[in-house]
Amino acid sequence: KKIISAHSLSKISSLSETTAAVLDYERMAVNRLSRKFVDSLLTYSVTNVEGNFDILPGAKVLDDAGLMQEASDIYATHLVETVKLTVKATVTECAKDANDKSGSITAGLEGMEFEQFLECLEMLFEQVLSGLSLASNVYTFLSTNGVEMPKPNLPTAGDKSRANGGGGAPTS
């Protein structure tokens, strides 16, 4: 008996279109599940340990299906964007506080005294470290519950193809 492989069936045009549609659906489902999981990670709380266990079913589904890489990439991209937003908001606020006369951020930064600059820098580090500490707690929580988040494939400075969580891994 001759066995018909999936590869040979995909050469039939109607089946190749079906295969493409199924693959598109799978990509969409993985993306939605990953985003839902990442949304649950964003509600992680150091103080509400009971609520954190709601994260585990989604994590285990993604992990069992070998799909944690996309979730890890989306989560890391969100963390990077949060850090950028935190830096921008903190610097803008410090500049406004330093220069009440002009609305210019540049003028505010240039007009800062050394003490103001150090206070701004301290506030900035506190905010960024708080976010990174929370992310570290998420990774530790998952790891202690048997789910390993793989190292994310973050875009490099010149790679905008994954800026919103899509695309492939950057080459090194």
Side-chain angles (χ1 to χ4, degrees):
K1 289 183 176 179
K2 187 174 182 179
I3 299 176
I4 300 174
S5 70
H7 175 69
S8 64
L9 288 177
S10 69
K11 292 180 183 179
I12 301 172
S13 65
S14 64
L15 291 180
S16 66
E17 290 173 17
T18 303
T19 301
V22 168
L23 290 174
D24 284 344
Y25 179 76
E26 179 186 36
R27 278 189 290 275
M28 180 196 65
V30 167
N31 188 278
R32 282 188 179 173
L33 183 59
S34 296
R35 290 193 181 279
K36 185 173 172 67
F37 171 65
V38 168
D39 287 345
S40 69
L41 292 181
L42 300 176
T43 64
Y44 180 86
S45 170
V46 176
T47 57
N48 180 13
V49 176
E50 294 296 319
N52 293 336
F53 286 97
D54 294 341
I55 295 170
L56 292 176
K60 296 212 184 258
V61 167
L62 287 168
D63 195 34
D64 290 346
L67 303 171
M68 281 299 278
Q69 185 64 57
E70 182 168 348
S72 178
D73 293 349
I74 292 169
Y75 185 56
T77 299
H78 175 78
L79 292 175
V80 168
E81 292 304 315
T82 300
V83 168
K84 287 179 184 177
L85 184 63
T86 301
V87 169
K88 184 176 181 177
T90 304
V91 169
T92 300
E93 200 59 38
C94 290
K96 284 181 182 178
D97 289 348
N99 187 1
D100 293 331
K101 298 171 192 160
S102 154
S104 168
I105 294 173
T106 304
L109 292 173
E110 289 172 351
M112 269 187 197
E113 293 184 17
F114 185 69
E115 218 31 64
Q116 288 175 308
F117 174 75
L118 286 179
E119 287 174 13
C120 180
L121 195 58
E122 183 179 349
M123 185 170 42
L124 179 61
F125 280 137
E126 284 175 8
Q127 293 298 314
V128 170
L129 288 174
S130 172
L132 294 177
S133 175
L134 187 59
S136 175
N137 290 336
V138 166
Y139 278 82
T140 301
F141 173 78
L142 290 172
S143 180
T144 58
N145 286 284
V147 179
E148 294 297 324
M149 288 265 290
K151 181 179 177 186
N153 295 316
L154 289 173
T156 59
D159 180 14
K160 300 294 181 190
S161 66
R162 292 185 17 83
N164 292 318
T171 56
S172 4

